[in-house]
Amino acid sequence: MASGSDYGLKRIVWKKLKDTIIADCRNSEVWKILILDPFTTKLLSSCCKMSDLMSEKITIVEDLFKNREPVLEMKAIYFMSPTAKCVDAFIADFKTKPKYKAAYVYFTDCCPDQLFNKMKMHCAKYIRVCKEINMSFMPQEAQVFTCDNPEAFKSIYSPNSQDKMKTLETIADQLVSLCATLDEYPGVRYKKDSNIENAKTLAELVDDKLAKHYELDDSGKKKGKTQAQLLIVERGFDPVSPILHELTYQAMAYDLIDIKNDTYKYKGEDGPEKEAQLTEDDQLWIQLRHKHIAEVGEQIPKLVKEIAASKKKPDGKITIANLSQMMKKMPAFRKQMTEKKVHLHLAEDCMKHYSNNVEKLCKAEQDLAVGSDVEGVKVKDAMRTLLPVLLHPYNPPDKIRAVLLYIFSLNGTTTENLNKLIQHVKIEDQQEFILNWKSLGVPIITSPSFFPRKPTRRDRSQEDTYKLSRWTPVIKDVMEDAMENKLETKEWPHVSESPAAWNGSGAVSARQKHKASSQDERRTGSRLIVFVVGGMSYSEMRCAYEVTQTVKSCEVIIGSSHILTPTSLLNDIKALSKAPMESFLIEERSNA
Amino acid sequence: MSVSVSLLHSQQLSERSECCRMRDRLTELQTFKPAEQEHRLQGEEEEDEDLAVVFEGEEVMDSVYKEAQALRKEMQLLKLDVKRLGKQNSRFLTSVRRISSIKRDSNALGRDIKSRGEALYARLQKLGRQSKDLEEEHGPASAVARMARSQCVSLNTAFHQAISEYNEAEMVQRENCKTRIQRQAEIMGREVSREQIDDMMETGKWNVFSDNLLLEGRSARSALNEIESRHRELLELEARIRDIHELFAQMALLVEEQGCMLDNIQANVGATQDYVAKATGQIKKAVQYQRKHPCRMLLCCCCPCCN
């Protein structure tokens, strides 16, 4: 109804909002105004539309931080984050002269005492409702969420960072709000790493906050742990996936084409530039986004045919044939046609970029990443695989990515080798692209005798893969191992005791009959929540869906502070060593 | 690390609400009776005066909302009619008896839907014009104009959806009829493809079937009857669609012109503008102040008060 897919995070979020904010106001027959801050605007926009609000008697939506026209006849619903800026804006609405008849106040998270008391002092008499809804995460897709916080990367990994703990606390709060929204109390596990401890710290924070959150309810009962697991890993545990050239539709598109805010800009045949939203409202996007570009390409002739058919002009008299032609002109069809045209352009765009640059590059990348070539022969001399890439006039970012893959495949290289590579790629003044990876715990410079154990990967030789898509993100191995209860406690310690024998197959309750996989059923099964500190890539998001498809009884949800593209990640890595700017930053979001 | 958080939680434990572990903090707010009593006395006078200034569009909005509610109700009735038509159509397919009476109902329903739809469309257009007038009078960024416009947008979309459902129902019926014809033709020992049926509909030549009537016998005759009645049904269906087609096309165009971004919340919020108090408001205030001026009320004749 509200969002494109009929299951998943967005639907859950919308339902919770309806059950709380809207249910409260439904009693009064009066129309209301909804006032949002930037975060809640984005949150609401991702899971419902204006028409959904209108049918719940909300007449207009306003921006909290803009100067608003007073409407004394109406009650206002404030849905905002508990920050000083928001509370001040709210108080200003009622301080001298009230702008609205009454206020219904909803916070996305716990409101700090100081702000709460300020509110109390100035406008308590206008407030009819004041609740804290635990929902401070952003539902990105049906099985993907983010913390909407790209700055977290620098905050956590920069050696100059002053507010790492603060950021980790904020993220922990957001994770707890996710669990609360999903009504889950998961067992928390993290990936042990000898070099950096962010996963451990975050895991402990989350577990602590979860315990306090579920401590006691009114009836004095303590909520027990549910059949869910929360796994926390760091970006450094799989540096390959976010910089590899991926060939599945969504990952490829966001890598090769400049897509900002999920908006794809293209030029239609009739001239003017058009925009398209790549969201779950587009049914065709949902179907195609995880498919390999070759399969998407196969769909194109069919799309072209359908578009051509819809363009035939009907002649004068109204015959049956003409009527069906005319029906085809209707917006329902036209919307579908527009969607098809968008994907026609997008797929062609991808292929254009691909055949220009990426094709030859991919083979070398796959060999370096997987460690063996198409036939399965192990790569003995990585430099030999890398050399053709270095000699070919690819653009510097692509070369940097190849060099990084080379280094990752060797678990670090010697200083002189590294210098030679840097010279070759001509990035002497931009060495940070490579060197700063050490801040993520990824070895860049190691001595020749240093051979750390490479993680063993699942055997996927039986799977059918495209030659240039042999690499599987490590997170997929983790998800599958977790489902089969194969994660070793030494590598993945539990923070506190987990429910007995968490088995992703959901074979716990006798109530659950094994029905054929209808999407809705999965919600009643168990959940695996994976969180990557420092950003996740589109290929990793895809894995969540793939694993859920195969293990039908457990739903995998993946999230991170934000979503990466190879370009954005490299830029962020370079910026890690920059000293913090001496400027005044207005903080949009503070923590509880 | 999280000491402050734990303190907060332990303090407000008693205020926990059970639903979704949300915290309801209303009671905390209501225990406090601040020194705003003074402020109230001071502010009350000014409040009264300002009430006259602010939100002039109240009555207008009331009428807009009433109309919007009424239109929504009408649309619900329309949707019910469409559902009824759908049921009628399927009944027609399954039962062979009393075809004429069932047919009559379908046509009557179709006519009802059309007239209701056209009435709705006229009212929607009127509301649209009213919304445009409000925009011109108060400015497009004013609360009144935006409220009216968003009502229009959502009503247009809902109406378009209702009509699409009707169209969908008739399309489904069309396909079912054709399938029945095909099946009956098979009983007669004839294979007809969909395109052939379409051709026959267009040209009106149905004698293909009746040609061999003399040869086949009773089953063939009843099959032929079936086919002929389906054919008649199809023709009437096409007539119904043709009738409502214009309305459908107009609505469709309207909705498409609206664009889909009007339904997007982020776009809506982004498009709002900072409110600038209107000059007229200030003038009204000045007049009221003058009226309430104590000197004036005492009929004082001193120069500064005279006007």
Side-chain angles (χ1 to χ4, degrees), chain A residues 50 66-67 69 132 334, chain B residues 25 143 256 263 272 274-275:
Chain A
M50 281 301 290
K66 287 201 181 127
N67 201 3
E69 182 179 335
E132 291 165 354
R334 272 216 275 239
Chain B
R25 304 187 70 173
E256 187 164 323
D263 210 15
T272 58
D274 280 310
Y275 173 66

Side-chain angles (χ1 to χ4, degrees), chain A residues 513-524:
Chain A
K513 301 191 193 92
H514 191 68
K515 289 196 192 128
S517 71
S518 87
Q519 304 271 32
D520 270 352
E521 281 299 308
R522 270 176 232 164
R523 284 190 291 117
T524 62

Side-chain angles (χ1 to χ4, degrees), chain A residues 99-361:
Chain A
K99 276 197 179 158
Y100 308 105
K101 195 171 183 180
Y104 293 69
V105 178
Y106 297 89
F107 288 114
T108 56
D109 209 340
C110 297
C111 182
D113 269 346
Q114 172 210 19
L115 292 175
F116 187 76
N117 289 332
K118 202 171 171 189
M119 224 169 58
K120 210 159 133 175
M121 205 158 43
H122 292 281
C123 34
K125 68 169 181 169
Y126 295 107
I127 302 179
R128 300 271 180 275
V129 169
C130 180
K131 285 192 180 157
E132 291 165 354
I133 307 178
N134 264 307
M135 198 187 301
S136 50
F137 66 96
M138 191 68 68
Q140 180 77 16
E141 291 180 4
Q143 287 173 236
V144 178
F145 70 93
T146 72
C147 296
D148 197 34
N149 192 359
E151 290 80 37
F153 186 80
K154 185 156 187 193
S155 174
I156 295 175
Y157 290 114
S158 168
N160 308 319
S161 162
Q162 316 278 345
D163 55 354
K164 175 156 107 165
M165 238 6 234
K166 196 162 139 203
T167 306
L168 285 175
E169 288 251 7
T170 313
I171 294 180
D173 283 329
Q174 289 177 291
L175 279 173
V176 171
S177 78
L178 171 76
C179 296
T181 307
L182 293 175
D183 210 18
E184 297 275 10
Y185 186 178
V188 184
R189 299 176 78 168
Y190 62 95
K191 178 84 172 66
K192 196 157 178 188
D193 190 312
S194 42
N195 297 326
I196 38 178
E197 298 244 306
N198 297 317
K200 178 161 186 263
T201 318
L202 183 62
E204 286 170 353
L205 278 173
V206 172
D207 194 70
D208 196 44
K209 287 178 194 269
L210 275 174
K212 291 202 181 75
H213 178 83
Y214 284 116
E215 210 164 42
L216 279 175
D217 62 28
D218 284 348
S219 53
K221 265 192 304 191
K222 185 171 170 172
K223 183 174 166 111
K225 293 208 175 178
T226 58
Q227 287 299 319
Q229 276 218 340
L230 170 59
L231 302 178
I232 301 184
V233 302
E234 292 212 57
R235 183 65 271 162
F237 106 117
D238 178 7
V240 176
S241 299
I243 58 169
L244 196 65
H245 279 95
E246 279 281 342
L247 294 180
T248 54
Y249 196 31
Q250 182 184 36
M252 192 176 182
Y254 277 81
D255 182 7
L256 302 178
I257 301 170
D258 187 23
I259 299 179
K260 288 201 173 66
N261 286 332
D262 298 326
T263 307
Y264 169 55
K265 296 200 170 91
Y266 66 102
K267 233 177 165 188
E269 319 88 19
D270 12 1
E273 199 184 63
K274 295 201 188 135
E275 277 186 11
Q277 295 280 324
L278 296 173
T279 60
E280 293 185 325
D281 289 330
D282 183 341
Q283 287 296 328
L284 201 50
W285 175 244
I286 296 183
Q287 281 172 29
L288 295 176
R289 65 185 168 184
H290 298 137
K291 287 199 157 70
H292 195 274
I293 193 73
E295 289 167 30
V296 176
E298 283 166 18
Q299 298 268 342
I300 291 186
K302 195 173 89 169
L303 295 179
V304 171
K305 205 165 131 197
E306 286 178 19
I307 292 174
S310 75
K311 280 194 172 162
K312 271 200 307 206
K313 282 196 169 20
D315 40 351
K317 55 192 174 90
I318 298 188
T319 61
I320 311 312
N322 284 347
L323 264 180
S324 45
Q325 288 298 337
M326 282 194 270
M327 288 305 161
K328 287 205 177 93
K329 297 266 179 188
M330 291 302 129
F333 280 101
R334 272 216 275 239
K335 180 165 176 262
Q336 280 178 17
M337 286 303 130
T338 319
E339 280 175 11
K340 290 181 177 149
K341 275 190 218 158
V342 167
H343 292 292
L344 200 71
H345 281 276
L346 185 56
E348 282 182 356
D349 237 343
C350 286
M351 289 308 290
K352 201 171 67 179
H353 280 89
Y354 175 66
S355 36
N356 281 346
N357 300 322
V358 181
E359 196 168 356
K360 297 187 202 89
L361 201 50

